[in-house]
């Protein structure tokens, strides 16, 4: 039966997984967050249903493939009577990602997450942990806008619009490059953990920029998810975002997203175009930010504008170094508004950034550099 315990004024979470190992790991990861309380654990969806009225969770974190009742069926039954309960579905990386995403949303799940794969190593496991913690907090806030839990600034402004826009004090510990590059002819963006929400925020501020200058994005993402993310960015940010393909010409009024499982970089023969390759992972990632940033530096030089958003690790640091050496411009997201200040932090601490800004100030800075302003 479902194990339970109670505390007050915390996000109440039930975890369902037929694997004792993954169940224990998810309990461990979420228990690290002081305002999350694990009120129950279950081996399948049926156990969750049988005890739902008793434990009254805010969020259910459920595996997809379980005996007796799958995660998909659990979603359908819970949402039929308890629409207020948020559900995060988790699946093995061996499950078809595109099918999983479509079926998850179709069944009524609020969000989805893939379990880490062995090729990503310790960094992949840590990224999964942070994404899990982030998504549970995000789902709770979405369903409880008037919550009385004290998050103590741990929730980034990408999901908490009331968060302050003051620049983090960590900026004072970093050396900034004073001179910006030439007027940008291309914008390249790198992101990882917490990236989708950050991308929506930044790109929604860059609609006018995207009409004049091509924007390319490398988000650490698995095979099958990039097309769906491109659609979400188009819908929620108001830009024309497409999943990039090999040989695609680089044009304005486009935001190009690197496909999952492929490295994206730029090449220039007669016209600048996108190249994709299936080479080994770089910094444990495919796509990696480094190929995009490095190739942009080679082709556009000082007219390159790079933006490093929230993400674990230091992928993209080498490419950012090349952009800085080519006298291009670099903006890093600040620590306060980042879900994880790994990638932007490594750029900031290495002295490659011209500016370290909160998420809601990045678009304004980019528009000032491109001498564009939103109309109306």
């Amino acid at each position: 039966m479902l194990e339970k315990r109670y505390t007050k004024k915390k996000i109440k979470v039930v975890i369902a997984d037929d694997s004792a190992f993954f169940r224990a790991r998810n309990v461990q990861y979420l228990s690290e967050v002081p305002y999350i309380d694990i009120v129950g654990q279950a081996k399948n969806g049926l156990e969750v249903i049988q005890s739902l009225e008793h434990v009254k969770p805010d969020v259910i974190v459920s595996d997809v493939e379980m005996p007796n009742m799958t995660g998909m069926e659990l979603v359908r039954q819970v949402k039929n009577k308890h629409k207020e309960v948020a559900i995060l579905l988790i699946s093995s990386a061996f499950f078809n990602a595109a099918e999983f995403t479509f079926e998850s949303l179709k069944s009524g799940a609020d969000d989805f997450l893939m379990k880490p794969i062995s090729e990503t190593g310790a960094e992949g496991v840590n990224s999964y942990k942070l994404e899990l913690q982030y998504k549970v907090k995000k789902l709770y806030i979405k369903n409880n806008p008037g919550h009385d839990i004290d998050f103590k600034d741990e929730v980034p402004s990408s999901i908490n619009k009331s968060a302050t826009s003051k620049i983090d004090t960590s900026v004072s510990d970093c050396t900034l490059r004073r001179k910006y590059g030439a007027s940008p002819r291309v914008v390249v963006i790198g992101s990882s953990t917490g990236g989708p929400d950050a991308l929506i925020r930044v790109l929604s501020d860059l609609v006018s920029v995207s009409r004049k200058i091509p924007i390319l994005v490398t988000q650490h993402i698995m095979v099958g998810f990039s097309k769906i993310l491109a659609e979400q960015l188009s819908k929620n940010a108001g830009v024309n975002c497409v999943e990039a393909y090999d040989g695609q010409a680089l044009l304005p009024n486009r935001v190009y997203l690197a496909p999952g499982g492929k490295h994206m970089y730029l090449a220039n023969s007669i016209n600048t175009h996108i190249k994709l390759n299936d080479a080994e992972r770089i910094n444990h990632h495919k796509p990696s930010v480094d190929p995009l940033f490095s190739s942009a530096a080679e082709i556009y030089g000082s007219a390159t504008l790079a933006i490093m958003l929230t993400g674990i690790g230091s992928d993209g640091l080498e490419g950012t170094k090349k952009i800085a050496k080519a006298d291009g411009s670099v903006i890093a997201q600040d620590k306060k508004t980042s879900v994880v200040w790994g990638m932007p932090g490594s750029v900031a601490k290495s002295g490659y950034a011209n500016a370290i800004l909160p998420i809601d100030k990045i678009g304004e800075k980019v528009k000032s550099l491109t001498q564009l302003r939103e109309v109306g």
Side-chain angles (χ1 to χ4, degrees), residues 89-341:
L89 283 182
I90 299 178
S91 176
S92 165
F94 299 105
F95 200 82
N96 184 287
E99 181 182 348
F100 167 52
T101 303
F102 176 76
E103 292 298 332
S104 296
L105 297 176
K106 182 181 177 182
S107 68
D110 296 276
D111 208 342
F112 46 86
L113 181 62
M114 299 293 277
K115 292 177 180 177
I117 57 177
S118 59
E119 287 88 339
T120 59
E123 186 170 303
V125 172
N126 198 29
S127 179
Y128 168 81
K129 178 184 77 170
L130 294 168
E131 285 280 8
L132 176 63
Q133 295 171 344
Y134 170 63
K135 285 178 180 288
V136 168
K137 292 185 286 186
K138 172 184 168 183
L139 290 178
Y140 176 81
I141 292 174
K142 178 182 177 182
N143 284 2
N144 299 272
H147 69 85
D148 59 357
I149 293 176
D150 182 9
F151 286 93
K152 297 181 180 178
D153 293 324
E154 291 185 66
V155 180
S157 65
S158 55
I159 61 173
N160 182 1
K161 301 302 183 183
S162 63
T164 178
S165 294
K166 291 183 180 179
I167 295 178
D168 194 270
T169 53
S170 59
V171 174
S172 61
D173 300 326
C174 302
T175 301
L176 297 178
R177 294 168 54 232
R178 294 184 178 276
K179 185 179 179 181
Y180 286 90
S183 181
R185 293 171 51 212
V186 69
V187 176
V188 291
I189 303 175
S191 56
S192 184
T193 310
D197 282 343
L199 287 167
I200 289 172
R201 184 59 195 268
V202 170
L203 291 174
S204 65
D205 291 334
L206 297 182
V207 174
S208 61
V209 174
S210 70
R211 293 187 185 123
K212 302 293 183 181
I213 300 171
I215 299 176
L216 298 100
V217 178
T218 292
Q219 157 74 32
H220 294 162
I221 197 166
M222 298 185 72
V223 176
F225 282 97
S226 44
K227 184 176 180 180
I228 295 165
L229 177 57
E231 293 171 355
Q232 290 178 338
L233 293 176
S234 294
K235 177 181 177 181
N236 296 309
V239 293
N240 182 17
C241 185
V242 297
E243 183 184 49
Y245 61 83
D246 189 65
Q248 189 171 16
L250 203 61
L251 302 170
N253 200 31
R254 296 283 191 284
V255 174
Y256 301 92
L257 179 68
K262 300 284 186 180
H263 294 304
M264 179 173 72
Y265 62 100
L266 297 176
N268 194 354
S269 50
I270 299 175
N271 296 308
T272 304
H273 58 280
I274 291 170
K275 295 295 292 181
L276 304 176
N277 70 39
D278 197 25
E280 293 297 313
R281 292 174 181 271
I282 300 173
N283 303 319
H284 306 292
H285 297 288
K286 189 165 70 172
S288 164
V289 177
D290 271 328
L292 173 61
F293 278 28
S294 296
S295 61
E298 292 173 7
I299 293 174
Y300 290 96
S302 64
T304 304
L305 170 56
I307 304 171
M308 189 67 82
L309 299 177
T310 176
I312 192 170
S314 59
D315 182 38
L317 182 60
E318 186 61 33
T320 306
K321 177 181 178 180
K322 293 179 180 179
I323 292 172
K325 284 193 171 184
D327 295 324
S329 303
V330 177
I331 298 172
Q333 184 177 351
D334 72 350
K335 185 175 183 178
K336 188 176 185 64
T337 64
S338 294
V339 175
V340 186
W341 207 53

